[in-house]
Amino acid sequence: MADESFKGILIDKDDTGYHVSLRELHEQALPEGDVTLQVSHSTLNYKDALALTGSSPIIKRFPMVPGVDLAGSVIASDSPDFKPGDKVLLNGWGVGESHWGGLAQRARLKGDWLIALPEAFTCAQAMAIGTAGYTAMLSVIALEKHGVKPADGEVLVTGANGGVGSFAVALLARLGYQVVASTGRPQESDYLQQLGAAAIIDRNELNQPGRPLLKERWSAVVDSLGSHTLVNACAATRYRGIVAACGLAQGMDFPGSVAPFILRGVTLAGIDSVNRPKQDRIEAWSRLARDLAPTLLPLISHEVGLSEVIDLAPRLLAGEVRGRVVVDVNR
């Protein structure tokens, strides 16, 4: 393949510091892989924002193109599963951390990391969903497999204004659950009600140190925050309920008690989306195609060009960005 140039965001680190820039890159610089893609759309996730700002040691090797999500068309393939022209998507697998990711117009990846783009979605729609919607769907599936039914009572979603939270609210509401959305932005109540939230609480009710056990309230929880919020969510979960832990926006710590797990039989289910087996990914995306109302995507997401990403990253970390950021890498 000719050494064509393309635009991408590159993060590098040397003796002079941490450098992030939008620049011309070359085909020959792409990492090893058996499938080369023309990227259509990517996203700006919380993890990408950490990488772009250097706020956390997300990047495992330099230089690195960030972007944990991408969707596009196959240009060249040595994988038996894909041929030129196929539309595919990717979430996770360390892409954007240890392997060049989606915030560039080209990508070279392992075919085992890719799944076919569901016919229900365009590339832009798939990225409006992205890792956030895929993780939310994995969380919902975990609740269902545990046996939680809509009739069992309220389901708490923390970080409800974020990407994962927004999709969790929308999916659970569409499936008939009574969703209580916790948010630090009560001014966004109308948005959460449009997604299907039955009630809204202030995150301050959950994000401070609490007692080992609280009054039983939640039949289940989807938590994207961790730390005290996760501890308090567990403490108020009903007997034999389940808490799906899928994020750490408040912190990686778990400053709590084993009491909910031993005295109430609460299950704490860890939701890993990065290294999830391919069959789980296909199941989650099939469910998204079935259970997510596409009309909600413009409400949950907005689109920016590749040139806007670097300046937007610190705002996302500051909690100033609602929902999902879709990146059209070709503008």
Side-chain angles (χ1 to χ4, degrees), residues 1-6 24-30 106 108:
M1 186 177 294
D3 185 26
E4 298 181 22
S5 64
F6 58 93
E24 289 289 322
L25 302 172
H26 292 274
E27 197 96 28
Q28 288 183 348
L30 288 171
R106 292 282 173 94
R108 185 173 293 134

Side-chain angles (χ1 to χ4, degrees), residues 44 49 72 112 124 140-141 149 163 200 224 244 258 261 270 274 320:
L44 178 63
D112 289 344
V140 171
I141 291 171
K149 303 287 194 301
I200 295 157
S224 60
V258 297
F261 314 116
V274 175
E320 298 172 2

Side-chain angles (χ1 to χ4, degrees), residues 21 49 57 63 68 76 106 117 121 123 130 153-154 166 176 197 213 247 256 259 279 313:
S21 61
V68 303
R106 292 282 173 94
L117 180 74
F121 302 127
C123 286
E154 294 177 317
S166 293
L213 286 175
Q279 193 53 48

Side-chain angles (χ1 to χ4, degrees), residues 202-323:
D202 193 297
R203 69 180 177 195
N204 290 326
E205 294 185 30
L206 297 166
N207 66 5
Q208 301 300 317
R211 298 193 304 274
L213 286 175
L214 299 169
K215 182 179 179 181
E216 295 179 60
R217 180 170 181 183
W218 321 116
S219 65
V221 178
V222 176
D223 174 68
S224 60
L225 299 180
S227 193
H228 292 292
T229 298
L230 176 57
V231 170
N232 288 321
C234 291
T237 296
R238 293 180 180 180
Y239 180 70
R240 301 200 73 183
I242 181 172
V243 178
C246 58
L248 43 77
Q250 187 180 351
M252 292 183 67
D253 58 330
F254 186 77
S257 166
V258 297
F261 314 116
I262 293 174
L263 299 180
R264 289 183 182 163
V266 170
T267 293
L268 180 58
I271 307 298
D272 164 55
S273 61
V274 175
N275 296 304
R276 202 76 178 207
K278 192 168 198 172
Q279 193 53 48
D280 287 2
R281 295 167 181 269
I282 292 170
E283 178 188 8
W285 278 96
S286 297
R287 287 289 304 277
L288 285 162
R290 189 187 84 190
D291 296 331
L292 182 67
T295 52
L296 291 178
L297 291 178
L299 184 65
I300 295 175
S301 66
H302 69 281
E303 188 174 290
V304 300
L306 191 61
S307 61
E308 300 170 72
V309 167
I310 295 172
D311 290 338
L312 191 58
R315 289 186 51 215
L316 189 148
L317 292 184
E320 298 172 2
V321 178
R322 173 208 283 179

Side-chain angles (χ1 to χ4, degrees), residues 38-210:
Q38 178 70 44
V39 180
S40 170
H41 290 77
S42 184
T43 62
L44 178 63
N45 287 290
Y46 189 82
K47 187 180 286 186
D48 301 319
L50 289 173
L52 287 160
T53 58
S55 303
S56 182
I58 295 294
I59 305 298
K60 304 298 190 296
R61 62 180 65 172
F62 295 91
M64 179 58 56
V65 172
V68 303
D69 289 328
L70 61 86
S73 300
V74 175
I75 299 172
S77 174
D78 292 322
S79 166
D81 297 326
F82 301 104
K83 64 184 185 303
D86 286 349
K87 293 188 182 299
V88 297
L89 66 84
L90 176 141
N91 311 112
W93 290 120
V95 169
E97 301 173 67
S98 56
H99 189 101
W100 282 20
L103 288 170
Q105 294 171 330
R106 292 282 173 94
R108 185 173 293 134
L109 305 153
K110 294 182 179 180
D112 289 344
W113 295 345
L114 304 169
I115 67 169
L117 180 74
E119 291 185 5
F121 302 127
T122 64
C123 286
Q125 288 174 324
M127 290 298 94
I129 298 166
T131 283
Y134 154 63
T135 301
M137 190 74 248
L138 291 173
S139 301
V140 171
I141 291 171
L143 269 54
E144 291 175 338
K145 289 183 176 178
H146 190 74
V148 180
K149 303 287 194 301
D152 293 338
E154 294 177 317
V155 176
L156 172 68
V157 175
T158 69
N161 275 101
V164 175
S166 293
F167 280 105
V169 170
L171 287 164
L172 288 164
R174 180 86 180 269
L175 292 166
Y177 292 88
Q178 185 178 0
V179 182
V180 177
S182 170
T183 179
R185 286 178 271 169
Q187 69 273 19
E188 299 276 16
S189 294
D190 287 347
Y191 164 70
L192 293 169
Q193 288 168 345
Q194 285 179 273
L195 294 181
I200 295 157
I201 62 174
D202 193 297
R203 69 180 177 195
N204 290 326
E205 294 185 30
L206 297 166
N207 66 5
Q208 301 300 317

